[in-house]
Amino acid sequence: MGKFNLHTHTYRCNHAKGEDEDFVLAAIENGYTTMGFSDHAPYIFPEDYNSYSDFRMKPYRTQDYADSVRELAEKYKDKIDIKLGFETEWYPDLIEGELEYLKSFNYDYLILGQHYVGNEIEKWAKYTGHKNKSVKHLDLFIKQVLDAAKSGEFAYIAHPDIFNFTGSKRVYLEKMDEFVKELKEIDIPLECNFLGYSTNRHYPNPDFWKIVAKHGNRVVIGLDAHQPWVYADTERINEFKDWLSSLGITPIEDVNEIL
């Protein structure tokens, strides 16, 4: 038992700030006993794909990332347990090569962050955070996440409510009810995302989390820390926990239930 967070990014993803060690020190200072770095994994795209994602690290930085996390884990082993992870997507045509590549770095865990519907390299692929009325795209998002969950490769699903559906609320509720029910049967934890909460994004979606509460899925809080000071944002983290409690959700308190 002890405070933990498995969702931490680094500057290598191009939108986080702070040195790796700064995150570790902030976690220690604020009573965390386990932390995981899970930066946006490089994706192994075809060589002729030139529009490489600007929100993930480049492949040439992966070894430096892994080495840095392992060195910090050794340096601070008497104060905190540091895990090496990656956040990545399930792209049906590319996932086999992606997993083979990432496993070469001997990670401790993966989390699923499904930022696109379809394979990102396809012209029709849709970013899940953008407003989208398409039921077809919502169905594809659900299928990709379920396929990932069934694979057994992921410790949990980050922001499972990231798809920004702006169509019929009735359709959304029906689809999410079936989605959450299937995830419950798979028994994979679902992350309620603190970054989304603290920055007033479209997620966490209260409608989604009420369904989660109804079905009793296991829930984990992910800070999704992009800056070290997030570990010290105790007041809002407690507010976030109170919000979850008001919905009837008690997050996982033991990291061993996930890893």
Side-chain angles (χ1 to χ4, degrees), residues 80-97:
I80 191 169
D81 185 12
I82 300 174
K83 303 294 188 182
L84 172 64
F86 292 95
E87 177 182 7
T88 196
E89 293 77 14
W90 185 271
Y91 296 152
D93 294 342
L94 305 172
I95 189 62
E96 185 176 350

Side-chain angles (χ1 to χ4, degrees), residues 72-219:
L72 289 168
E74 178 62 25
K75 182 176 180 178
Y76 292 99
K77 65 182 179 181
D78 294 332
K79 295 182 178 180
I80 191 169
D81 185 12
I82 300 174
K83 303 294 188 182
L84 172 64
F86 292 95
E87 177 182 7
T88 196
E89 293 77 14
W90 185 271
Y91 296 152
D93 294 342
L94 305 172
I95 189 62
E96 185 176 350
E98 175 71 0
L99 291 174
E100 182 180 355
Y101 171 74
L102 294 179
K103 286 176 180 177
S104 70
F105 296 98
N106 195 31
Y107 58 75
D108 296 310
Y109 67 97
L110 295 179
I111 59 177
L112 180 78
Q114 194 64 38
H115 294 95
Y116 274 87
V117 175
N119 293 287
E120 186 179 326
I121 61 174
E122 297 165 316
K123 290 183 178 180
W124 69 267
K126 302 296 182 182
Y127 186 71
T128 51
H130 293 163
K131 292 180 179 180
N132 192 330
K133 296 180 180 180
S134 171
V135 176
K136 177 182 177 181
H137 292 158
L138 180 60
D139 284 340
L140 285 170
F141 168 78
I142 290 170
K143 183 180 186 309
Q144 283 178 249
V145 173
L146 287 175
D147 285 347
K150 292 172 184 175
S151 75
E153 299 285 353
F154 298 89
Y156 72 72
I157 300 171
H159 38 61
D161 49 342
I162 192 174
F163 192 96
N164 195 0
F165 187 69
T166 55
S168 163
K169 184 171 182 177
R170 177 187 60 79
V171 169
Y172 179 81
L173 294 176
E174 289 176 355
K175 297 283 186 183
M176 289 301 103
D177 191 76
E178 287 301 315
F179 180 42
V180 169
K181 189 186 301 182
E182 288 197 55
L183 290 170
K184 168 67 173 176
E185 292 174 0
I186 297 167
D187 194 30
I188 187 169
L190 309 181
E191 178 205 79
C192 201
N193 189 272
F194 178 68
L195 175 64
Y197 178 85
S198 61
T199 56
N200 298 309
R201 300 187 180 188
H202 64 280
Y203 61 89
N205 184 329
D207 290 330
F208 179 89
W209 292 100
K210 288 175 184 176
I211 293 171
V212 170
K214 180 180 78 170
H215 289 295
N217 302 61
R218 292 189 294 148
V219 174

